[in-house]
Amino acid sequence: MEILKVENLTFSYPLCNRPALNDVSFTVQKGEFIALCGTTGGGKTTLLRLLKKEIAPLGDLSGNIYFNGANLNDLSAAQSAGKIGFVMQNPEQQIVTDKVWHELAFGLENLNLPREVIARKIAEISAFFGIEDWFDKKVSELSGGQKQLLNLAAVTVMEPEILILDEPTAQLDPVAAADFIAAIKKLNRELSLTVIIAEHRLEEIIPLCDKLLILENGAPMFFDLPRKAASAVKNTPEVLNFMPSAVRLFAAVGEGEECPLDVCEGREYLQNNFKNDLKTIEQTPYTHNQNPALEFVNVCFRYDKNLPDVLSDLTFTVYKNEIFCIVGGNGSGKTTMLSVAANIEKPYCGTVKVFGKKLKEYKNQSLYKECLSMLPQDVQTVFLKNTVEEELDGFVPPYDMQDLYGKHPYDLSGGQQQLLALAKVLATKPKLLLLDEPTKGLDANAKLRLIQILKDLKADGVTVVLVTHDIEFAALCADRCAMLFRGEIVSCDIPRNFFSSNSIYTTAAHRITRGYFDNAITVEDAAELCLKNGRRCGKDR
Amino acid sequence: MKGFKDHNPIAVTVYFLAVAGIAMFNMNVVIFTSLLAGSLILFFIYYRTKSAKTHLFSVVFFITMAILNPVFSHNGVTVLFVMNNNPVTLEAILYGCFTATVIIAVLYCFRCFSQIMTSDKLLYIFGALSPKTALILSMSLRYVPLFGGQIEKINKAQKALGAYKDDNILDTLKTGLRISSITITWAIENGITTADSMTARGYGSGKRSRFSVFRFCAGDFLLIGIISLLTIVTLFGIKDMKYVYYPAIVPPKTTLFGVVGYIAYALLVLLPVIYHIKEAVLWKYLRSKI
C-alpha cells in the first residue's frame, strides 16, 4: 500500500530563476526505507521539507503530494503534526525544553493528550530507545549522539506513520552515528515505520535501504534498488563519490555481476572474481623535513584538579611542511591536544614548542601573527561579520568564493561555511595550521575539495595538523597518521602502514581487502591491484 | 516510602511559604531560634559538611551585624559605654544579633529550599499557574546556559585566530562587542530552527495539555494537612508572641496559647527532619524484615 505519492513536484524559491526541484515524481510504499542522496544544493532539504507542511519553504509550487491517498494540504494540523515525523540535522537546535522527559512530552502536550496517555507513551518510547538511564537528566548534560537520539524519540513518541530525516548524523561522530542509524533501522524493521532519510554517510545506510533516490540538480536521476545504482552513477563522479567503498570498487572494476553493497559482500565479490598474485602496492618512501614544526614533550593536562588526565605524557613531533592527522575515538583528547598546541589551555607539566620555540616565549600574541592558527570544530564560532565579503576583509582565498560575497555566513551550506572559516584562518597567514574535525558536516565532494586545498597549502610550505574521526579522510590526505588513545599516542606511521596494520580501526577499503591484499587502504588502491592482478578464470572460482 | 523532598512540589512550596511567612510577620526570638535550629539540621542533612564557606559567611555576618547595629542605632535604655559622644546600648547590640539571626536563619532555610526545589519542580509550580509561562521558563532555562557557552566558544576560537591583536583595552573591547553581537545573531538563527522543530511537532495547532512527572498522592495531602494544622495552631498563639525591643526589651507574657504556638512552630520547622528520621527508621525496619 502506498503511503506517500509525489506527483510532478516543481518548486522554486522566490527571486531564483532556477527551480530547486524540477518535476519530481515518486511513490513510497508503507514500511519502506528510502535513502535520499545527491550533491549539496541538489534539492534534498527542499524536497524533504515540502513533505512536512508545517515547515515547508515558501515559493512557487506546482504538482501534488498525497499522504495515504489524501492531499497533504487537506490534513488537519494535529494529523499532520503527528503522522509525519521530521528530524533535522543539528541535534542542539531542535531541542525545545531543558529536561529529557519534558522534551519527550512536548509533542504529546501539543496534541492535547491527557496526562495518563502521555505517561504511558513516554514510558514505552523510553524503553524502546533505552533512555531510562538519562530520563531525568538535563538536556545540557547529554552528548551530541544522545541529543539526536532524544530528538528521534521525541518525534517517534507521537507515533508517526512516516519518518523524515534530513542528514541526522552529519554532526555526530562515527560511533554515535552508527547508534543512531541502528535505532532507525530498528524502528523500520520492528515497527515497520516508513523512513525517508537524506544522508551524506551512505556507507551504513545503503546496505539497509530498500530504495535509493538520487537527486541531481533538483531532478531525480535514479530511483530504484541500491544494487542497481552503481551502473547508473558510474559516469557521474560527483554522485559516485557518495557511494560506499564496495560500490565504488565495483564501479571501477565490475562487469555486470551483482553489485556488492557492504564490506562483507565486497570481500566476497573481490575474492570470487580477482586473483591476488600481486598483493602489495609500491610505496614511495616518505621522507620528512628534519625541522620540527610542533613538538609535544611529556605534556600532561587536566581540566580540573579532581578530574583524570586528558593528556598524559603526550609526546610527539610534527615536522615542517607535512600533513599530520591524528585520529581517535570520542574523549581521547584530540580537541584538548589542539587547544594546548594553540595555547588556549595550559598544560600542568611538559613543554610544547612551535617551530622550536616554547609557547611561553611567544609574547604579546605573537604566536597568532603569521605563525599559528586554529580552525575550531564548530566553524560558526569563527564568523563575526554580516557578509562573506566583510568576513574576508580583502583577503583572497586560494579557492573561489566570489559568488558568495553578498551572503550572510550563517546562510551558507555546511561545506561553504567550512571553506569560509578556513579562508578566514588562512588570512592570518599561518605557517602552522591546526584543524579540528574539518570534515564535520561535509559531503564527499566537499571532502575531496578540502583534501586538494590542504595539499596545495602544503605545497606553499604550510604545516597542517588535523584531528579527525574520519579515517577515510585521514587515509587520503595525511603524510603521517597517529592514533590518540586516552591522552597518549599509541601508534604513528605513514597512512599506508598505519591503516594496513590496523585491523578494526581502519578504512572500509582495507577491511574489504584485508588478508587478500596487503596494503590497499583506499578504493583506488584496491581497484589498481584488482586491475593489475586480473580476473580469475572460470575454473579458478 | 517518601522522604520529605520527594513530595509533590506544591506540598513542599506550601511548607516553605508557611515556615517563612510566620517567621516574617512575627519578629519573635523563640520563633527565629527554632527556625535557625531546624534549618541548620536540615542543611546538614542535605549538604553534609561540605559547605564550610556558608558557615564562615554566617559567623562573619553575625559578628558584623552585632557590631554595626549599635554603631548606627543609639536607641535603648541600657547604656553600656559611650563612644565618640554616642551611647552604645545593650538593646541595640541585642537587636543587631537578633536581625543577624533572622537573616542567617532565612538564608539556611532557602538553601534547603533550593536543594529540594530543582528547576523542574519550580516549573511545575509555575505551570500550575500558567502553562505558557512554564514553557517559556523551561526554554529559557535551556537557552541561557547555551548562550553563555556559545560566547565562551566564540571567544576561544577568536583568540586562536589572533582576534585580540594587541594587548590593549580598546581592541579587547571592540572584539568583545563583535562577539556579543554575533552571538545574538546566532541565537536568532538558532531560534528559527527551534521554532521549526516546535511547529513540526504540532506546537500552536490547538489547545495544549500539560504533562509532569509529579503526582499528587495521599502522602502529599497528609503533609499539607499537617502543615495547615501546625500553622493554624501557631497563628492562634501569635498575639501572645509580641516582642518589644526599644527602648527596653519586653518579652511577651507567657500564656498557654503562646507556648502551644511555639511548640507547633518548632514541630513545623522540624517537620522535614522528622520525615527524614521516620524514613531512615522505617527503612532499617523494613530491611530487618527482609
Side-chain angles (χ1 to χ4, degrees):
Chain A
M1 204 182 119
E2 66 186 39
I3 184 165
L4 189 77
K5 186 173 177 187
V6 175
E7 256 181 13
N8 307 99
L9 195 70
T10 299
F11 179 85
S12 35
Y13 284 100
L15 306 175
C16 266
N17 33 24
R18 197 177 63 86
L21 288 178
N22 198 355
D23 198 20
V24 178
S25 304
F26 63 98
T27 50
V28 178
Q29 303 297 321
K30 250 195 179 126
E32 267 189 327
F33 192 126
I34 309 280
L36 172 61
C37 84
T39 48
T40 306
K44 295 193 301 285
T45 299
T46 311
L47 174 62
L48 292 183
R49 286 192 164 234
L50 284 172
L51 300 179
K52 174 85 180 160
K53 76 174 182 187
E54 286 90 350
I55 54 171
L58 294 174
D60 289 333
L61 176 72
S62 68
N64 290 308
I65 303 169
Y66 297 99
F67 177 68
N68 273 338
N71 197 310
L72 196 65
N73 292 324
D74 299 337
L75 288 183
S76 76
Q79 263 184 330
S80 169
K83 299 287 179 212
I84 304 177
F86 198 99
V87 178
M88 295 178 241
Q89 187 185 114
N90 195 313
E92 189 81 69
Q93 297 171 357
Q94 286 173 77
I95 297 175
V96 178
T97 61
D98 67 328
K99 284 276 186 169
V100 171
W101 63 263
H102 198 184
E103 189 64 24
L104 289 173
F106 179 76
L108 301 170
E109 288 181 328
N110 291 336
L111 297 181
N112 201 19
L113 295 175
R115 209 206 107 98
E116 301 72 43
V117 178
I118 296 183
R120 196 191 69 224
K121 289 192 177 191
I122 288 182
E124 277 188 77
I125 210 74
S126 306
F128 186 84
F129 282 100
I131 54 183
E132 293 111 322
D133 293 345
W134 30 284
F135 187 76
D136 280 321
K137 274 198 180 172
K138 278 185 184 170
V139 168
S140 54
E141 294 165 16
L142 305 183
S143 69
Q146 286 176 322
K147 279 180 190 157
Q148 195 66 311
L149 216 52
L150 172 62
N151 285 320
L152 180 65
V155 167
T156 322
V157 76
M158 298 171 77
E159 292 172 7
E161 288 182 21
I162 185 167
L163 193 60
I164 301 170
L165 305 111
D166 189 6
E167 294 182 7
T169 66
Q171 305 291 327
L172 306 184
D173 65 78
V175 178
D179 284 348
F180 188 83
I181 289 169
I184 295 171
K185 182 187 166 195
K186 196 174 167 202
L187 284 172
N188 176 252
R189 294 286 142 90
E190 294 182 13
L191 306 177
S192 86
L193 186 65
T194 314
V195 174
I196 302 181
I197 180 169
E199 260 301 339
H200 286 329
R201 214 188 291 252
L202 290 174
E203 196 85 42
E204 291 103 344
I205 290 282
I206 285 210
L208 296 179
C209 70
D210 298 314
K211 276 187 182 166
L212 179 66
L213 172 61
I214 301 175
L215 278 185
E216 183 65 359
N217 294 324
M221 72 173 269
F222 178 84
F223 182 55
D224 207 336
L225 301 176
R227 274 189 211 286
K228 297 184 181 163
S231 48
V233 300
K234 214 170 184 170
N235 299 319
T236 328
E238 310 87 78
V239 180
L240 184 62
N241 288 338
F242 289 111
M243 295 294 148
S245 302
V247 176
R248 276 187 290 145
L249 179 63
F250 177 80
V253 299
E255 279 168 11
E257 304 95 341
E258 179 144 282
C259 172
L261 290 181
D262 56 16
V263 169
C264 217
E265 291 177 8
R267 277 183 81 83
E268 203 183 314
Y269 169 77
L270 179 73
Q271 296 182 6
N272 285 342
N273 290 291
F274 294 93
K275 292 188 272 201
N276 67 336
D277 304 332
L278 176 69
K279 285 188 168 183
T280 48
I281 281 194
E282 288 280 321
Q283 169 70 42
T284 45
Y286 172 71
T287 47
H288 55 72
N289 192 312
Q290 284 308 314
N291 300 324
L294 176 67
E295 283 170 279
F296 270 58
V297 183
N298 297 352
V299 172
C300 301
F301 176 84
R302 57 178 68 175
Y303 282 97
D304 193 88
K305 198 179 90 196
N306 302 317
L307 293 175
D309 274 353
V310 184
L311 304 178
S312 54
D313 262 347
L314 181 62
T315 304
F316 67 91
T317 308
V318 179
Y319 296 97
K320 252 187 196 165
N321 207 12
E322 68 177 353
I323 300 178
F324 190 78
C325 278
I326 295 174
V327 294
N330 267 344
S332 57
K334 300 194 302 295
T335 299
T336 310
M337 189 278 295
L338 279 192
S339 302
V340 169
N343 206 18
I344 300 225
E345 308 283 3
K346 311 259 185 300
Y348 70 84
C349 74
T351 43
V352 180
K353 286 184 188 170
V354 171
F355 295 113
K357 212 165 128 186
K358 282 186 188 167
L359 282 181
K360 266 180 249 161
E361 292 161 12
Y362 285 92
K363 291 276 154 52
N364 200 9
Q365 311 284 328
S366 62
L367 178 63
Y368 306 118
K369 281 179 200 152
E370 305 195 2
C371 177
L372 173 149
S373 203
M374 178 163 93
L375 183 64
Q377 194 169 128
D378 181 357
V379 289
Q380 283 197 344
T381 57
V382 169
F383 309 135
L384 290 181
K385 313 274 174 60
N386 288 323
T387 62
V388 173
E389 192 171 6
E390 282 176 57
E391 204 67 72
L392 289 174
D393 197 19
F395 175 73
V396 184
Y399 37 87
D400 191 30
M401 298 208 77
Q402 207 82 36
D403 44 339
L404 303 174
Y405 272 20
K407 284 196 174 178
H408 193 282
Y410 285 179
D411 292 337
L412 306 180
S413 75
Q416 291 165 336
Q417 285 191 354
Q418 194 79 36
L419 288 183
L420 176 60
L422 184 61
K424 215 183 152 188
V425 170
L426 292 179
T428 65
K429 299 198 178 61
K431 285 183 287 183
L432 173 60
L433 184 60
L434 309 177
L435 305 173
D436 191 356
E437 295 288 351
T439 59
K440 202 172 188 180
L442 297 195
D443 67 23
N445 295 315
K447 279 182 201 171
L448 291 178
R449 190 156 69 231
L450 183 62
I451 291 172
Q452 196 49 52
I453 291 167
L454 294 182
K455 292 201 161 150
D456 291 347
L457 283 173
K458 185 196 161 185
D460 289 343
V462 178
T463 311
V464 181
V465 177
L466 65 91
V467 303
T468 184
H469 283 301
D470 193 336
I471 43 186
E472 311 283 337
F473 178 79
L476 284 174
C477 82
D479 289 325
R480 284 197 303 149
C481 278
M483 185 174 181
L484 196 64
F485 179 68
R486 291 168 60 89
E488 285 175 85
I489 297 276
V490 288
S491 65
C492 177
D493 211 330
I494 57 167
R496 191 172 304 286
N497 299 346
F498 181 86
F499 287 109
S500 53
S501 54
N502 284 5
S503 48
I504 296 164
Y505 200 76
T506 184
T507 58
H510 182 244
R511 278 178 284 145
I512 290 174
T513 59
R514 190 161 54 88
Y516 201 63
F517 296 151
D518 280 342
N519 61 355
I521 59 163
T522 62
V523 172
E524 288 71 29
D525 292 348
E528 189 189 323
L529 279 177
C530 282
L531 294 177
K532 276 187 182 161
N533 278 308
R535 293 184 160 265
R536 280 173 185 273
C537 311
K539 61 176 190 279
D540 288 352
R541 287 194 185 182
Chain B
M1 195 171 65
K2 272 176 157 187
F4 179 77
K5 64 178 190 304
D6 304 322
H7 280 83
N8 190 291
I10 292 184
V12 177
T13 312
V14 167
Y15 171 78
F16 277 100
L17 283 179
V19 168
I22 293 174
M24 261 196 297
F25 296 106
N26 192 12
M27 301 285 269
N28 181 301
V29 178
V30 183
I31 293 285
F32 266 114
T33 319
S34 32
L35 178 63
L36 181 63
S39 307
L40 262 177
I41 297 173
L42 198 58
F43 187 86
F44 278 115
I45 289 175
Y46 287 146
Y47 291 87
R48 303 286 160 190
T49 46
K50 272 183 289 186
S51 304
K53 263 189 191 161
T54 315
H55 304 309
L56 188 71
F57 171 81
S58 309
V59 173
V60 172
F61 185 78
F62 187 87
I63 296 171
T64 321
M65 283 296 276
I67 296 172
L68 279 187
N69 193 54
V71 171
F72 293 106
S73 162
H74 307 293
N75 249 334
V77 288
T78 327
V79 179
L80 292 178
F81 56 90
V82 175
M83 200 174 67
N84 296 343
N85 292 332
N86 281 319
V88 173
T89 66
L90 179 67
E91 283 81 7
I93 292 177
L94 286 178
Y95 192 75
C97 294
F98 179 64
T99 345
T101 317
V102 171
I103 293 170
I104 292 167
V106 171
L107 188 108
Y108 278 112
C109 185
F110 274 91
R111 281 293 294 273
C112 297
F113 180 71
S114 69
Q115 180 73 14
I116 297 176
M117 294 298 276
T118 49
S119 67
D120 50 334
K121 290 187 184 174
L122 276 176
L123 269 178
Y124 172 79
I125 303 283
F126 279 111
L129 304 173
S130 151
K132 273 236 167 87
T133 324
L135 182 64
I136 290 172
L137 261 173
S138 169
M139 290 174 69
S140 7
L141 276 175
R142 171 168 159 62
Y143 263 94
V144 171
L146 206 60
F147 195 78
Q150 183 71 9
I151 289 188
E152 178 79 359
K153 260 161 82 184
I154 295 182
N155 203 17
K156 277 188 177 170
Q158 295 301 327
K159 200 185 155 208
L161 281 176
Y164 299 103
K165 281 192 189 73
D166 305 296
D167 286 339
N168 81 53
I169 294 177
L170 207 70
D171 190 68
T172 312
L173 235 103
K174 249 181 165 167
T175 312
L177 265 177
R178 276 263 157 70
I179 290 174
S180 43
S181 129
I182 198 75
T183 316
I184 290 167
T185 314
W186 173 85
I188 294 168
E189 278 286 322
N190 236 340
I192 293 170
T193 318
T194 311
D196 275 350
S197 161
M198 288 168 76
T199 40
R201 282 187 278 158
Y203 183 74
S205 64
K207 210 171 161 287
R208 286 188 92 229
S209 61
R210 198 169 75 88
F211 174 77
S212 83
V213 284
F214 306 107
R215 288 164 176 281
F216 221 96
C217 58
D220 299 313
F221 283 110
L222 182 69
L223 179 61
I224 291 185
I226 298 174
I227 295 167
S228 319
L229 185 75
L230 291 174
T231 310
I232 290 167
V233 174
T234 313
L235 289 179
F236 266 112
I238 213 156
K239 63 176 188 324
D240 297 331
M241 295 183 187
K242 283 247 150 41
Y243 255 82
V244 178
Y245 296 96
Y246 292 127
I249 294 177
V250 184
K253 264 183 270 160
T254 316
T255 63
L256 182 65
F257 275 123
V259 172
V260 172
Y262 287 143
I263 293 170
Y265 187 74
L267 279 177
L268 185 64
V269 166
L270 289 174
L271 202 56
V273 183
I274 295 170
Y275 262 86
H276 194 83
I277 293 169
K278 187 198 89 182
E279 193 189 12
V281 169
L282 207 61
W283 180 239
K284 272 258 160 63
Y285 174 67
L286 285 174
R287 279 293 294 266
S288 69
K289 279 216 302 195
I290 294 171

